[in-house]
Amino acid sequence: MGMSQDNLRGFILALLSSVFIGASFIIKKKGLRRAAAVSGVRAGYGGYAYLLEPLWWLGMVTMIVGEVANFVAYAFAPAILVTPLGALSIIVSAILAHFMLKEKLHQLGVLGCIMCISGSVIIVIHAPQESPITSVQEIWAMATQPAFLLYLGSVIVLVVLLILHFAPRCGHTNVLVFTGICSLMGSLSVMSVKALGTALKLTFEGKNQLVYLETWFFMFIVATCVIIQMNYLNKALDTFNTAVVSPIYYVMFTSLTIIASVIMFKDWDGQNTGSIISELCGFIAVLCGTILLNSAKDSDRGSSFRGEHAPLSPTLSTGLFSGNRETLKHDEENELLPDDICLRKQEPY
């Protein structure tokens, strides 16, 4: 199945984006560790010393470059094609974490990486051709249809619930809390990025979309969602193993984005059943790959910040996946904390 020129441009930009974003996870985490060692307060516990750390800003610049490439990719290709290519960022971050952060990648993890790539390739091959959009007002009509408004309302309720109820109680022991907030807001930001990118693309083609209020509204939504995403992504990266955060964030973010895109842009309209099934199989392969990747990782367990004697360097284990734990040098490692109890009650396995 051939790709259109726009889909090809989106595909290349999405690949470049994944490389930059995958590297940014590692650079930012090294910056977070360095800032925590200097200030004594980790980002996961409300510290903002990382804002003064040059290495963290380098990671931010790298991520911004990747996000810009991603932004442009959405202007050319449908979300169902662009979003799953984020699997490459998992592989980049896992490999770099293995060498730079000593977060080991085992043979099972390598198999998981291969499955992620294979699944993404299947999705790309069977990705739908996007229907042409001639005005941002067309996208606004899609965003205000009842089905998408129902999805939007559900996301807002879940995010508020996670932030106000679950984050204070289990946010530092259950990786799904912080990554869940990032992923839910991410699905909305992608829809807004798609709308804004299309509006700018049309403007550069001579059809000025900046005169429409809808364009500026989408820009506001993008800014709001990205700020929330970055805040909770910092918390997740500082609290949990990078090789665990990256795959889980990818799986949740991609799943929700595809659901949102299918509802809002009706990506599957006009596709035959075989293509849709192939896309779903490819996505399932990616999900299985991330599970294998997670199961092969070291789930390094750090201490909750309990007073002035708490260590800074170890990261917190999610407790959701099996793995070889590194030996901690503190007697606290064998104690069952209240947060641990909260996590184990929520464990699905």
Side-chain angles (χ1 to χ4, degrees), residues 6-7 10 70-83 128-133 135-136 139-140 142 186-202 215 218-219 222 257 260-261 264-265 267:
D6 279 351
N7 274 13
N70 204 44
F71 176 87
V72 179
Y74 281 112
F76 287 100
I80 286 183
L81 188 155
V82 174
T83 306
Q129 301 295 329
E130 192 169 37
S131 301
I133 298 174
S135 170
V136 71
I139 304 179
W140 179 258
M142 298 175 186
S187 69
L188 297 183
S189 69
V190 167
M191 298 303 101
S192 299
V193 162
K194 176 69 176 175
L196 182 58
T198 302
L200 294 177
K201 177 187 174 187
L202 291 171
T215 301
F218 283 126
M219 187 179 297
V222 169
T257 298
S261 184
M264 180 172 169
F265 292 101
D267 291 323

mmCIF file of all heavy atoms in Angstrom, residues 6-7 10 70-83 128-133 135-136 139-140 142 186-202 215 218-219 222 257 260-261 264-265 267:
data_model
loop_
_atom_site.group_PDB
_atom_site.id
_atom_site.type_symbol
_atom_site.label_atom_id
_atom_site.label_comp_id
_atom_site.label_asym_id
_atom_site.label_seq_id
_atom_site.Cartn_x
_atom_site.Cartn_y
_atom_site.Cartn_z
ATOM 1 N N ASP A 6 2.227 13.564 1.702
ATOM 2 C CA ASP A 6 2.015 14.125 3.035
ATOM 3 C C ASP A 6 2.263 13.097 4.123
ATOM 4 O O ASP A 6 2.895 13.382 5.150
ATOM 5 C CB ASP A 6 0.587 14.676 3.147
ATOM 6 C CG ASP A 6 0.451 16.058 2.523
ATOM 7 O OD1 ASP A 6 1.494 16.648 2.155
ATOM 8 O OD2 ASP A 6 -0.690 16.549 2.409
ATOM 9 N N ASN A 7 1.771 11.870 3.908
ATOM 10 C CA ASN A 7 2.008 10.818 4.896
ATOM 11 C C ASN A 7 3.492 10.496 5.031
ATOM 12 O O ASN A 7 3.988 10.231 6.124
ATOM 13 C CB ASN A 7 1.244 9.550 4.504
ATOM 14 C CG ASN A 7 -0.190 9.564 5.010
ATOM 15 O OD1 ASN A 7 -0.689 10.610 5.435
ATOM 16 N ND2 ASN A 7 -0.852 8.426 4.949
ATOM 17 N N GLY A 10 5.101 13.206 7.080
ATOM 18 C CA GLY A 10 4.742 13.006 8.477
ATOM 19 C C GLY A 10 5.494 11.850 9.098
ATOM 20 O O GLY A 10 5.915 11.919 10.263
ATOM 21 N N ASN A 70 7.359 16.668 15.878
ATOM 22 C CA ASN A 70 6.112 15.937 16.055
ATOM 23 C C ASN A 70 4.912 16.807 15.674
ATOM 24 O O ASN A 70 3.958 16.347 15.037
ATOM 25 C CB ASN A 70 5.998 15.482 17.510
ATOM 26 C CG ASN A 70 5.104 14.273 17.676
ATOM 27 O OD1 ASN A 70 5.176 13.329 16.904
ATOM 28 N ND2 ASN A 70 4.262 14.309 18.675
ATOM 29 N N PHE A 71 4.980 18.069 16.085
ATOM 30 C CA PHE A 71 3.914 19.028 15.781
ATOM 31 C C PHE A 71 3.707 19.144 14.269
ATOM 32 O O PHE A 71 2.584 19.078 13.767
ATOM 33 C CB PHE A 71 4.284 20.392 16.369
ATOM 34 C CG PHE A 71 3.319 21.491 16.047
ATOM 35 C CD1 PHE A 71 2.206 21.711 16.848
ATOM 36 C CD2 PHE A 71 3.511 22.315 14.960
ATOM 37 C CE1 PHE A 71 1.310 22.730 16.548
ATOM 38 C CE2 PHE A 71 2.630 23.330 14.650
ATOM 39 C CZ PHE A 71 1.523 23.531 15.448
ATOM 40 N N VAL A 72 4.810 19.292 13.553
ATOM 41 C CA VAL A 72 4.728 19.429 12.101
ATOM 42 C C VAL A 72 4.241 18.130 11.468
ATOM 43 O O VAL A 72 3.481 18.143 10.492
ATOM 44 C CB VAL A 72 6.090 19.844 11.514
ATOM 45 C CG1 VAL A 72 6.011 19.968 9.996
ATOM 46 C CG2 VAL A 72 6.547 21.174 12.117
ATOM 47 N N ALA A 73 4.652 16.990 12.034
ATOM 48 C CA ALA A 73 4.227 15.696 11.501
ATOM 49 C C ALA A 73 2.711 15.564 11.530
ATOM 50 O O ALA A 73 2.104 15.047 10.587
ATOM 51 C CB ALA A 73 4.872 14.564 12.297
ATOM 52 N N TYR A 74 2.082 16.039 12.613
ATOM 53 C CA TYR A 74 0.626 15.949 12.716
ATOM 54 C C TYR A 74 -0.082 16.819 11.688
ATOM 55 O O TYR A 74 -1.237 16.568 11.345
ATOM 56 C CB TYR A 74 0.162 16.337 14.121
ATOM 57 C CG TYR A 74 0.328 15.241 15.134
ATOM 58 C CD1 TYR A 74 1.259 15.348 16.159
ATOM 59 C CD2 TYR A 74 -0.452 14.093 15.076
ATOM 60 C CE1 TYR A 74 1.416 14.347 17.094
ATOM 61 C CE2 TYR A 74 -0.305 13.081 16.007
ATOM 62 C CZ TYR A 74 0.632 13.215 17.015
ATOM 63 O OH TYR A 74 0.787 12.207 17.926
ATOM 64 N N ALA A 75 0.606 17.857 11.198
ATOM 65 C CA ALA A 75 0.004 18.712 10.173
ATOM 66 C C ALA A 75 -0.055 18.002 8.826
ATOM 67 O O ALA A 75 -0.866 18.362 7.968
ATOM 68 C CB ALA A 75 0.792 20.012 10.044
ATOM 69 N N PHE A 76 0.798 16.985 8.648
ATOM 70 C CA PHE A 76 0.862 16.283 7.368
ATOM 71 C C PHE A 76 0.177 14.923 7.377
ATOM 72 O O PHE A 76 -0.340 14.477 6.348
ATOM 73 C CB PHE A 76 2.324 16.092 6.943
ATOM 74 C CG PHE A 76 2.993 17.358 6.488
ATOM 75 C CD1 PHE A 76 3.824 18.064 7.334
ATOM 76 C CD2 PHE A 76 2.775 17.856 5.208
ATOM 77 C CE1 PHE A 76 4.442 19.232 6.918
ATOM 78 C CE2 PHE A 76 3.389 19.027 4.775
ATOM 79 C CZ PHE A 76 4.217 19.720 5.640
ATOM 80 N N ALA A 77 0.199 14.234 8.512
ATOM 81 C CA ALA A 77 -0.276 12.855 8.553
ATOM 82 C C ALA A 77 -1.277 12.648 9.682
ATOM 83 O O ALA A 77 -1.275 13.399 10.664
ATOM 84 C CB ALA A 77 0.913 11.904 8.722
ATOM 85 N N PRO A 78 -2.130 11.629 9.587
ATOM 86 C CA PRO A 78 -3.116 11.356 10.641
ATOM 87 C C PRO A 78 -2.456 10.864 11.919
ATOM 88 O O PRO A 78 -1.358 10.300 11.906
ATOM 89 C CB PRO A 78 -4.004 10.267 10.023
ATOM 90 C CG PRO A 78 -3.152 9.623 8.984
ATOM 91 C CD PRO A 78 -2.273 10.709 8.444
ATOM 92 N N ALA A 79 -3.135 11.083 13.035
ATOM 93 C CA ALA A 79 -2.594 10.707 14.343
ATOM 94 C C ALA A 79 -2.352 9.209 14.442
ATOM 95 O O ALA A 79 -1.427 8.761 15.126
ATOM 96 C CB ALA A 79 -3.548 11.162 15.443
ATOM 97 N N ILE A 80 -3.172 8.404 13.766
ATOM 98 C CA ILE A 80 -3.002 6.948 13.817
ATOM 99 C C ILE A 80 -1.663 6.535 13.222
ATOM 100 O O ILE A 80 -1.086 5.517 13.607
ATOM 101 C CB ILE A 80 -4.174 6.256 13.081
ATOM 102 C CG1 ILE A 80 -5.435 6.345 13.938
ATOM 103 C CG2 ILE A 80 -3.868 4.810 12.770
ATOM 104 C CD1 ILE A 80 -6.634 5.644 13.355
ATOM 105 N N LEU A 81 -1.120 7.315 12.292
ATOM 106 C CA LEU A 81 0.190 7.025 11.720
ATOM 107 C C LEU A 81 1.311 7.590 12.592
ATOM 108 O O LEU A 81 2.288 6.916 12.900
ATOM 109 C CB LEU A 81 0.291 7.590 10.307
ATOM 110 C CG LEU A 81 1.536 7.210 9.478
ATOM 111 C CD1 LEU A 81 1.213 7.295 8.000
ATOM 112 C CD2 LEU A 81 2.742 8.078 9.790
ATOM 113 N N VAL A 82 1.157 8.839 13.018
ATOM 114 C CA VAL A 82 2.243 9.537 13.720
ATOM 115 C C VAL A 82 2.453 9.011 15.133
ATOM 116 O O VAL A 82 3.583 8.730 15.551
ATOM 117 C CB VAL A 82 1.968 11.054 13.750
ATOM 118 C CG1 VAL A 82 3.013 11.779 14.595
ATOM 119 C CG2 VAL A 82 1.946 11.621 12.336
ATOM 120 N N THR A 83 1.376 8.870 15.886
ATOM 121 C CA THR A 83 1.501 8.556 17.313
ATOM 122 C C THR A 83 2.186 7.227 17.612
ATOM 123 O O THR A 83 3.068 7.170 18.476
ATOM 124 C CB THR A 83 0.113 8.603 17.983
ATOM 125 O OG1 THR A 83 -0.495 9.868 17.708
ATOM 126 C CG2 THR A 83 0.232 8.419 19.478
ATOM 127 N N PRO A 128 -4.378 5.021 7.507
ATOM 128 C CA PRO A 128 -5.356 5.571 6.556
ATOM 129 C C PRO A 128 -4.840 6.841 5.886
ATOM 130 O O PRO A 128 -3.999 7.555 6.433
ATOM 131 C CB PRO A 128 -6.561 5.893 7.448
ATOM 132 C CG PRO A 128 -5.960 6.185 8.785
ATOM 133 C CD PRO A 128 -4.778 5.251 8.902
ATOM 134 N N GLN A 129 -5.337 7.108 4.694
ATOM 135 C CA GLN A 129 -5.063 8.377 4.026
ATOM 136 C C GLN A 129 -5.995 9.427 4.637
ATOM 137 O O GLN A 129 -7.184 9.178 4.813
ATOM 138 C CB GLN A 129 -5.313 8.264 2.521
ATOM 139 C CG GLN A 129 -4.471 7.201 1.827
ATOM 140 C CD GLN A 129 -2.982 7.512 1.867
ATOM 141 O OE1 GLN A 129 -2.577 8.666 1.869
ATOM 142 N NE2 GLN A 129 -2.161 6.471 1.887
ATOM 143 N N GLU A 130 -5.442 10.571 4.926
ATOM 144 C CA GLU A 130 -6.228 11.594 5.614
ATOM 145 C C GLU A 130 -7.089 12.381 4.633
ATOM 146 O O GLU A 130 -6.644 12.750 3.543
ATOM 147 C CB GLU A 130 -5.294 12.552 6.361
ATOM 148 C CG GLU A 130 -6.010 13.467 7.323
ATOM 149 C CD GLU A 130 -5.038 14.200 8.221
ATOM 150 O OE1 GLU A 130 -3.956 14.565 7.747
ATOM 151 O OE2 GLU A 130 -5.373 14.400 9.399
ATOM 152 N N SER A 131 -8.334 12.641 5.041
ATOM 153 C CA SER A 131 -9.214 13.467 4.222
ATOM 154 C C SER A 131 -8.745 14.915 4.271
ATOM 155 O O SER A 131 -8.358 15.407 5.342
ATOM 156 C CB SER A 131 -10.658 13.376 4.737
ATOM 157 O OG SER A 131 -11.113 12.047 4.715
ATOM 158 N N PRO A 132 -8.758 15.618 3.145
ATOM 159 C CA PRO A 132 -8.295 17.015 3.134
ATOM 160 C C PRO A 132 -9.183 17.915 3.975
ATOM 161 O O PRO A 132 -10.410 17.766 3.990
ATOM 162 C CB PRO A 132 -8.358 17.390 1.653
ATOM 163 C CG PRO A 132 -9.355 16.442 1.050
ATOM 164 C CD PRO A 132 -9.208 15.170 1.815
ATOM 165 N N ILE A 133 -8.547 18.831 4.697
ATOM 166 C CA ILE A 133 -9.254 19.816 5.522
ATOM 167 C C ILE A 133 -8.953 21.194 4.968
ATOM 168 O O ILE A 133 -7.794 21.545 4.736
ATOM 169 C CB ILE A 133 -8.820 19.717 6.997
ATOM 170 C CG1 ILE A 133 -9.187 18.338 7.552
ATOM 171 C CG2 ILE A 133 -9.467 20.820 7.827
ATOM 172 C CD1 ILE A 133 -8.680 18.094 8.959
ATOM 173 N N SER A 135 -10.360 24.217 6.288
ATOM 174 C CA SER A 135 -10.552 25.320 7.231
ATOM 175 C C SER A 135 -10.506 24.801 8.660
ATOM 176 O O SER A 135 -10.904 23.664 8.938
ATOM 177 C CB SER A 135 -11.889 26.024 6.979
ATOM 178 O OG SER A 135 -12.189 26.931 8.019
ATOM 179 N N VAL A 136 -10.027 25.650 9.581
ATOM 180 C CA VAL A 136 -10.006 25.280 10.994
ATOM 181 C C VAL A 136 -11.416 25.129 11.528
ATOM 182 O O VAL A 136 -11.649 24.426 12.517
ATOM 183 C CB VAL A 136 -9.210 26.321 11.818
ATOM 184 C CG1 VAL A 136 -9.976 27.644 11.913
ATOM 185 C CG2 VAL A 136 -8.898 25.795 13.216
ATOM 186 N N ILE A 139 -12.461 21.593 11.602
ATOM 187 C CA ILE A 139 -11.950 20.864 12.767
ATOM 188 C C ILE A 139 -12.764 21.212 14.012
ATOM 189 O O ILE A 139 -13.026 20.356 14.852
ATOM 190 C CB ILE A 139 -10.456 21.179 12.989
ATOM 191 C CG1 ILE A 139 -9.655 20.860 11.723
ATOM 192 C CG2 ILE A 139 -9.913 20.401 14.173
ATOM 193 C CD1 ILE A 139 -8.187 21.165 11.830
ATOM 194 N N TRP A 140 -13.177 22.464 14.116
ATOM 195 C CA TRP A 140 -13.998 22.877 15.260
ATOM 196 C C TRP A 140 -15.319 22.104 15.272
ATOM 197 O O TRP A 140 -15.784 21.689 16.338
ATOM 198 C CB TRP A 140 -14.247 24.381 15.201
ATOM 199 C CG TRP A 140 -15.100 24.877 16.342
ATOM 200 C CD1 TRP A 140 -16.425 25.199 16.310
ATOM 201 C CD2 TRP A 140 -14.668 25.087 17.691
ATOM 202 N NE1 TRP A 140 -16.851 25.586 17.548
ATOM 203 C CE2 TRP A 140 -15.790 25.536 18.418
ATOM 204 C CE3 TRP A 140 -13.444 24.937 18.348
ATOM 205 C CZ2 TRP A 140 -15.738 25.852 19.769
ATOM 206 C CZ3 TRP A 140 -13.383 25.251 19.701
ATOM 207 C CH2 TRP A 140 -14.515 25.703 20.398
ATOM 208 N N MET A 142 -15.740 19.136 14.134
ATOM 209 C CA MET A 142 -15.409 17.781 14.589
ATOM 210 C C MET A 142 -15.239 17.742 16.112
ATOM 211 O O MET A 142 -15.638 16.786 16.780
ATOM 212 C CB MET A 142 -14.118 17.305 13.930
ATOM 213 C CG MET A 142 -14.178 17.191 12.421
ATOM 214 S SD MET A 142 -12.547 16.769 11.743
ATOM 215 C CE MET A 142 -12.864 16.870 9.985
ATOM 216 N N GLY A 186 -2.366 14.370 27.282
ATOM 217 C CA GLY A 186 -1.665 14.244 26.004
ATOM 218 C C GLY A 186 -2.602 13.961 24.850
ATOM 219 O O GLY A 186 -2.404 14.469 23.737
ATOM 220 N N SER A 187 -3.636 13.152 25.104
ATOM 221 C CA SER A 187 -4.580 12.857 24.023
ATOM 222 C C SER A 187 -5.315 14.113 23.574
ATOM 223 O O SER A 187 -5.582 14.301 22.379
ATOM 224 C CB SER A 187 -5.583 11.782 24.468
ATOM 225 O OG SER A 187 -6.459 12.274 25.465
ATOM 226 N N LEU A 188 -5.604 15.002 24.529
ATOM 227 C CA LEU A 188 -6.260 16.264 24.171
ATOM 228 C C LEU A 188 -5.287 17.209 23.473
ATOM 229 O O LEU A 188 -5.660 17.920 22.526
ATOM 230 C CB LEU A 188 -6.820 16.944 25.425
ATOM 231 C CG LEU A 188 -7.913 16.188 26.180
ATOM 232 C CD1 LEU A 188 -8.417 17.020 27.340
ATOM 233 C CD2 LEU A 188 -9.061 15.819 25.250
ATOM 234 N N SER A 189 -4.040 17.211 23.932
ATOM 235 C CA SER A 189 -3.054 18.101 23.312
ATOM 236 C C SER A 189 -2.783 17.697 21.865
ATOM 237 O O SER A 189 -2.602 18.561 20.992
ATOM 238 C CB SER A 189 -1.744 18.115 24.117
ATOM 239 O OG SER A 189 -1.065 16.879 24.013
ATOM 240 N N VAL A 190 -2.773 16.375 21.584
ATOM 241 C CA VAL A 190 -2.545 15.925 20.203
ATOM 242 C C VAL A 190 -3.677 16.388 19.293
ATOM 243 O O VAL A 190 -3.438 16.841 18.165
ATOM 244 C CB VAL A 190 -2.390 14.392 20.139
ATOM 245 C CG1 VAL A 190 -2.464 13.903 18.705
ATOM 246 C CG2 VAL A 190 -1.062 13.971 20.754
ATOM 247 N N MET A 191 -4.911 16.279 19.760
ATOM 248 C CA MET A 191 -6.036 16.741 18.946
ATOM 249 C C MET A 191 -5.927 18.240 18.676
ATOM 250 O O MET A 191 -6.191 18.711 17.561
ATOM 251 C CB MET A 191 -7.361 16.432 19.649
ATOM 252 C CG MET A 191 -7.639 14.950 19.884
ATOM 253 S SD MET A 191 -7.629 13.940 18.381
ATOM 254 C CE MET A 191 -5.993 13.198 18.488
ATOM 255 N N SER A 192 -5.513 18.995 19.692
ATOM 256 C CA SER A 192 -5.359 20.443 19.523
ATOM 257 C C SER A 192 -4.154 20.778 18.656
ATOM 258 O O SER A 192 -4.203 21.713 17.851
ATOM 259 C CB SER A 192 -5.217 21.114 20.897
ATOM 260 O OG SER A 192 -6.361 20.888 21.684
ATOM 261 N N VAL A 193 -3.078 20.010 18.818
ATOM 262 C CA VAL A 193 -1.896 20.209 17.975
ATOM 263 C C VAL A 193 -2.233 19.930 16.514
ATOM 264 O O VAL A 193 -1.799 20.653 15.606
ATOM 265 C CB VAL A 193 -0.735 19.298 18.448
ATOM 266 C CG1 VAL A 193 0.322 19.152 17.365
ATOM 267 C CG2 VAL A 193 -0.116 19.860 19.716
ATOM 268 N N LYS A 194 -3.001 18.872 16.290
ATOM 269 C CA LYS A 194 -3.432 18.540 14.937
ATOM 270 C C LYS A 194 -4.237 19.700 14.337
ATOM 271 O O LYS A 194 -4.033 20.088 13.171
ATOM 272 C CB LYS A 194 -4.276 17.267 14.974
ATOM 273 C CG LYS A 194 -4.875 16.849 13.628
ATOM 274 C CD LYS A 194 -3.815 16.379 12.676
ATOM 275 C CE LYS A 194 -4.415 15.882 11.382
ATOM 276 N NZ LYS A 194 -3.377 15.535 10.389
ATOM 277 N N ALA A 195 -5.140 20.253 15.125
ATOM 278 C CA ALA A 195 -5.962 21.368 14.657
ATOM 279 C C ALA A 195 -5.116 22.610 14.398
ATOM 280 O O ALA A 195 -5.235 23.259 13.351
ATOM 281 C CB ALA A 195 -7.043 21.678 15.689
ATOM 282 N N LEU A 196 -4.229 22.925 15.351
ATOM 283 C CA LEU A 196 -3.392 24.115 15.207
ATOM 284 C C LEU A 196 -2.407 23.960 14.060
ATOM 285 O O LEU A 196 -2.186 24.898 13.277
ATOM 286 C CB LEU A 196 -2.646 24.379 16.520
ATOM 287 C CG LEU A 196 -1.750 25.610 16.572
ATOM 288 C CD1 LEU A 196 -2.546 26.876 16.285
ATOM 289 C CD2 LEU A 196 -1.053 25.706 17.933
ATOM 290 N N GLY A 197 -1.785 22.787 13.945
ATOM 291 C CA GLY A 197 -0.831 22.539 12.867
ATOM 292 C C GLY A 197 -1.487 22.654 11.498
ATOM 293 O O GLY A 197 -0.908 23.223 10.561
ATOM 294 N N THR A 198 -2.699 22.119 11.398
ATOM 295 C CA THR A 198 -3.422 22.220 10.130
ATOM 296 C C THR A 198 -3.758 23.667 9.809
ATOM 297 O O THR A 198 -3.657 24.097 8.656
ATOM 298 C CB THR A 198 -4.710 21.382 10.190
ATOM 299 O OG1 THR A 198 -4.373 20.017 10.481
ATOM 300 C CG2 THR A 198 -5.467 21.444 8.873
ATOM 301 N N ALA A 199 -4.151 24.421 10.839
ATOM 302 C CA ALA A 199 -4.474 25.835 10.635
ATOM 303 C C ALA A 199 -3.250 26.616 10.146
ATOM 304 O O ALA A 199 -3.352 27.441 9.225
ATOM 305 C CB ALA A 199 -5.002 26.446 11.932
ATOM 306 N N LEU A 200 -2.084 26.352 10.749
ATOM 307 C CA LEU A 200 -0.866 27.049 10.332
ATOM 308 C C LEU A 200 -0.438 26.621 8.934
ATOM 309 O O LEU A 200 0.032 27.437 8.133
ATOM 310 C CB LEU A 200 0.256 26.779 11.337
ATOM 311 C CG LEU A 200 0.049 27.360 12.741
ATOM 312 C CD1 LEU A 200 1.195 26.966 13.663
ATOM 313 C CD2 LEU A 200 -0.072 28.886 12.672
ATOM 314 N N LYS A 201 -0.595 25.330 8.636
ATOM 315 C CA LYS A 201 -0.262 24.837 7.309
ATOM 316 C C LYS A 201 -1.119 25.534 6.250
ATOM 317 O O LYS A 201 -0.614 25.985 5.202
ATOM 318 C CB LYS A 201 -0.473 23.320 7.250
ATOM 319 C CG LYS A 201 -0.216 22.697 5.876
ATOM 320 C CD LYS A 201 -0.618 21.231 5.883
ATOM 321 C CE LYS A 201 -0.505 20.625 4.489
ATOM 322 N NZ LYS A 201 -1.034 19.246 4.431
ATOM 323 N N LEU A 202 -2.415 25.646 6.505
ATOM 324 C CA LEU A 202 -3.314 26.326 5.572
ATOM 325 C C LEU A 202 -2.961 27.805 5.449
ATOM 326 O O LEU A 202 -3.039 28.389 4.362
ATOM 327 C CB LEU A 202 -4.764 26.175 6.041
ATOM 328 C CG LEU A 202 -5.354 24.759 5.949
ATOM 329 C CD1 LEU A 202 -6.710 24.699 6.637
ATOM 330 C CD2 LEU A 202 -5.480 24.325 4.486
ATOM 331 N N THR A 215 -8.775 29.062 15.997
ATOM 332 C CA THR A 215 -7.326 28.815 15.928
ATOM 333 C C THR A 215 -6.656 29.189 17.233
ATOM 334 O O THR A 215 -5.822 28.432 17.764
ATOM 335 C CB THR A 215 -6.707 29.614 14.764
ATOM 336 O OG1 THR A 215 -7.323 29.223 13.541
ATOM 337 C CG2 THR A 215 -5.204 29.364 14.676
ATOM 338 N N PHE A 218 -7.560 26.722 20.077
ATOM 339 C CA PHE A 218 -6.766 25.500 20.011
ATOM 340 C C PHE A 218 -5.343 25.750 20.530
ATOM 341 O O PHE A 218 -4.747 24.891 21.183
ATOM 342 C CB PHE A 218 -6.725 24.960 18.585
ATOM 343 C CG PHE A 218 -7.973 24.255 18.159
ATOM 344 C CD1 PHE A 218 -8.643 24.619 17.000
ATOM 345 C CD2 PHE A 218 -8.487 23.208 18.916
ATOM 346 C CE1 PHE A 218 -9.806 23.963 16.604
ATOM 347 C CE2 PHE A 218 -9.645 22.537 18.537
ATOM 348 C CZ PHE A 218 -10.305 22.931 17.374
ATOM 349 N N MET A 219 -4.795 26.930 20.234
ATOM 350 C CA MET A 219 -3.458 27.273 20.728
ATOM 351 C C MET A 219 -3.439 27.329 22.257
ATOM 352 O O MET A 219 -2.493 26.854 22.905
ATOM 353 C CB MET A 219 -3.017 28.622 20.151
ATOM 354 C CG MET A 219 -1.584 29.000 20.462
ATOM 355 S SD MET A 219 -1.116 30.578 19.717
ATOM 356 C CE MET A 219 -1.288 30.196 17.959
ATOM 357 N N VAL A 222 -3.519 23.764 23.629
ATOM 358 C CA VAL A 222 -2.206 23.134 23.495
ATOM 359 C C VAL A 222 -1.289 23.569 24.640
ATOM 360 O O VAL A 222 -0.645 22.734 25.290
ATOM 361 C CB VAL A 222 -1.557 23.485 22.140
ATOM 362 C CG1 VAL A 222 -0.095 23.061 22.120
ATOM 363 C CG2 VAL A 222 -2.306 22.805 21.001
ATOM 364 N N THR A 257 -4.757 8.499 22.493
ATOM 365 C CA THR A 257 -4.703 9.371 21.313
ATOM 366 C C THR A 257 -5.413 8.739 20.124
ATOM 367 O O THR A 257 -6.142 9.424 19.388
ATOM 368 C CB THR A 257 -3.240 9.679 20.944
ATOM 369 O OG1 THR A 257 -2.618 10.384 22.035
ATOM 370 C CG2 THR A 257 -3.166 10.543 19.688
ATOM 371 N N ALA A 260 -9.109 9.010 20.740
ATOM 372 C CA ALA A 260 -9.561 10.382 20.521
ATOM 373 C C ALA A 260 -9.589 10.726 19.039
ATOM 374 O O ALA A 260 -10.527 11.381 18.552
ATOM 375 C CB ALA A 260 -8.656 11.356 21.268
ATOM 376 N N SER A 261 -8.569 10.285 18.300
ATOM 377 C CA SER A 261 -8.490 10.591 16.869
ATOM 378 C C SER A 261 -9.582 9.888 16.084
ATOM 379 O O SER A 261 -10.184 10.477 15.169
ATOM 380 C CB SER A 261 -7.110 10.188 16.326
ATOM 381 O OG SER A 261 -6.979 10.553 14.979
ATOM 382 N N MET A 264 -12.780 11.876 16.925
ATOM 383 C CA MET A 264 -12.856 13.252 16.423
ATOM 384 C C MET A 264 -12.681 13.338 14.912
ATOM 385 O O MET A 264 -13.488 13.981 14.226
ATOM 386 C CB MET A 264 -11.793 14.107 17.113
ATOM 387 C CG MET A 264 -11.771 15.564 16.671
ATOM 388 S SD MET A 264 -10.661 16.548 17.705
ATOM 389 C CE MET A 264 -10.580 18.073 16.780
ATOM 390 N N PHE A 265 -11.651 12.691 14.386
ATOM 391 C CA PHE A 265 -11.350 12.809 12.953
ATOM 392 C C PHE A 265 -11.909 11.660 12.123
ATOM 393 O O PHE A 265 -11.769 11.675 10.894
ATOM 394 C CB PHE A 265 -9.834 12.901 12.741
ATOM 395 C CG PHE A 265 -9.240 14.185 13.262
ATOM 396 C CD1 PHE A 265 -8.587 14.213 14.483
ATOM 397 C CD2 PHE A 265 -9.341 15.361 12.533
ATOM 398 C CE1 PHE A 265 -8.035 15.393 14.970
ATOM 399 C CE2 PHE A 265 -8.795 16.542 13.004
ATOM 400 C CZ PHE A 265 -8.147 16.566 14.229
ATOM 401 N N ASP A 267 -10.889 8.579 11.682
ATOM 402 C CA ASP A 267 -9.787 8.065 10.859
ATOM 403 C C ASP A 267 -10.109 6.752 10.160
ATOM 404 O O ASP A 267 -9.545 6.447 9.113
ATOM 405 C CB ASP A 267 -8.529 7.884 11.712
ATOM 406 C CG ASP A 267 -7.941 9.215 12.149
ATOM 407 O OD1 ASP A 267 -7.983 10.160 11.350
ATOM 408 O OD2 ASP A 267 -7.441 9.299 13.288
#
